[in-house]
């Protein structure tokens, strides 16, 4: 099943497909070689302002709301990054796509890397933004545990402020307050229990650094120079571990590079795609 905009039935938005218990809603827009987008924690498919340019450039865009997020929510069961990799393949199956370029930011990148490791024939290329191959730092796990206990209480408004500082770089917070305020509202619209399960699952991810040499598709690694988690060095290590990977650093940019510097991100991505 593949439609440009998935339909409502009896007032409820039906998921495009399922992977186990996870509903997976995606938009299917344009024609041409397929590009599958997978966003960061707390976001949804609106994280990608590059979609119109990709369609205009002749690509078929599969824009996924990750499990538990946006129109794919709620999802309140723990999962692994390997489960999320299978989500990407489930979308390709549902859209009747043999292979695609996987574009993943943050947790979307965690999933895309793993999909390339276990489903190489389905992955034409990778574009990995503000992500990494290693496990979560112990300091980060402790912080998430503390914030998690508050995120499902009335103190959630306070925890969202902390999340905004983690995801948006200092430059964006200073120069683009409207963008940050817009996404604050969107973060608060997400299901709190689903977001808690998602971040717990993200922080429990395994380390695939030793397997990066097995990634044998063209790869672009993009990172914002202000990214704090997993951080610039995680992207440096990622690019160094994948044979032939390109590496691009976006100045004055935090974790949500596609949102904070949409034109620079778009240029890097379209340039990479044009060379495939």
């Amino acid at each position: 099943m593949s439609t440009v905009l998935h339909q409502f039935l009896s007032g409820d938005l039906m998921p495009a497909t399922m992977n186990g218990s996870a509903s997976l809603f995606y938009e299917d827009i344009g024609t041409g070689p397929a590009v599958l987008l997978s966003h960061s924690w707390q976001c949804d498919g609106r994280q990608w302002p590059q979609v119109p340019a990709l369609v205009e450039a002749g690509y078929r865009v599969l824009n996924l709301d990750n499990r538990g997020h946006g129109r794919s929510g709620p999802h309140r069961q723990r999962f692994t990054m390997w489960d999320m990799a299978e989500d990407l393949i489930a979308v390709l199956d549902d859209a009747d796509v043999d292979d695609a370029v996987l574009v993943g930011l943050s947790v979307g990148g965690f999933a895309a890397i793993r999909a390339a490791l276990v489903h190489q024939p389905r992955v034409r290329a990778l574009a990995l933004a503000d992500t990494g191959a290693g496990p979560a730092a112990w300091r980060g796990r402790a912080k998430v545990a503390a914030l998690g206990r508050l995120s499902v209480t009335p103190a959630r408004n306070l925890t969202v402020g902390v999340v905004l500082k983690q995801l948006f770089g200092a430059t964006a917070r200073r120069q683009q307050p409207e963008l940050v305020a817009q996404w604050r509202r969107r973060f608060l619209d997400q299901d709190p229990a689903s977001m808690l399960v998602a971040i717990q699952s993200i922080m429990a991810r395994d380390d695939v650094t030793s397997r990066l040499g097995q990634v044998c598709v063209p790869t672009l690694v993009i990172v914002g120079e202000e990214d704090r988690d997993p951080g610039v060095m995680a992207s440096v290590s990622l690019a160094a571990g994948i044979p032939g990977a390109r590496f691009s650093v976006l100045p004055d940019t935090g974790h949500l590079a596609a949102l904070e510097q949409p034109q620079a991100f778009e240029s890097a991505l379209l340039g990479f795609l044009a060379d495939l």
Side-chain angles (χ1 to χ4, degrees):
M1 177 187 67
S2 175
T3 58
V4 172
L5 291 176
H6 299 282
Q7 302 298 311
F8 285 89
L9 181 63
S10 302
D12 294 322
L13 186 64
M14 298 301 292
T17 191
M18 303 284 291
N19 179 28
S21 63
S23 301
L24 302 171
F25 176 92
Y26 66 97
E27 293 175 342
D28 184 349
I29 309 168
T31 59
V35 176
L36 172 54
L37 307 176
S38 180
H39 57 76
S40 174
W41 175 63
Q42 284 278 358
C43 295
D44 55 35
R46 292 172 294 183
Q47 179 201 272
W48 303 106
Q50 296 78 24
V51 168
L54 288 167
V55 173
E56 181 66 24
Y59 297 99
R60 179 183 177 188
V61 178
L62 307 175
N63 189 11
L64 172 66
D65 282 3
N66 292 340
R67 61 166 66 197
H69 292 70
R71 294 160 290 183
S72 295
H75 183 82
R76 298 167 181 169
Q77 296 172 294
R78 288 286 290 270
F79 55 90
T80 69
M81 299 301 98
W82 299 96
D83 294 329
M84 284 195 66
E86 296 301 325
D87 291 348
L88 302 183
I89 301 305
V91 169
L92 296 185
D93 288 343
D94 188 69
D96 196 26
V97 169
D98 291 333
D99 59 38
V101 178
L102 305 185
V103 182
L105 193 151
S106 189
V107 61
F110 301 152
I113 293 166
R114 288 161 175 80
L117 288 171
V118 294
H119 294 286
Q120 190 278 325
R122 309 297 301 275
V123 181
R124 182 180 177 212
L126 292 171
L128 306 170
D130 299 284
T131 192
W138 282 107
R139 183 176 64 178
R141 294 184 188 186
K143 184 176 182 179
V144 165
L147 289 174
R149 289 191 291 270
L150 295 174
S151 67
V152 290
T153 74
R156 186 172 180 233
N157 281 328
L158 299 176
T159 67
V160 166
V162 176
V163 170
L164 288 168
K165 288 184 179 180
Q166 191 74 14
L167 297 185
F168 283 97
T171 301
R173 298 198 308 273
R174 183 174 64 253
Q175 296 183 355
Q176 301 184 75
E178 298 87 358
L179 176 69
V180 176
Q182 178 186 58
W183 280 90
R184 176 187 173 86
R185 293 189 295 271
R186 290 175 178 175
F187 289 176
L188 288 170
D189 284 341
Q190 299 278 19
D191 175 59
S194 296
M195 295 304 97
L196 175 58
V197 165
I199 194 60
Q200 289 172 337
S201 300
I202 291 165
M203 299 305 287
R205 65 186 181 272
D206 58 334
D207 186 353
V208 295
T209 304
S210 65
R211 298 184 62 182
L212 289 179
Q214 300 172 29
V215 176
C216 53
V217 297
T219 301
L220 170 66
V221 177
I222 303 175
V223 67
E225 69 173 357
E226 298 175 3
D227 184 27
R228 299 170 59 187
D229 188 6
V232 174
M233 290 311 299
S235 290
V236 170
S237 175
L238 182 62
I242 297 176
R246 295 189 190 182
F247 183 59
S248 178
V249 179
L250 301 185
D252 302 322
T253 309
H255 188 67
L256 297 179
L259 280 173
E260 296 178 43
Q261 296 286 351
Q263 296 304 319
F265 192 98
E266 180 181 297
S267 295
L269 179 58
L270 287 176
F272 171 68
L273 294 175
D275 288 341
L276 295 178

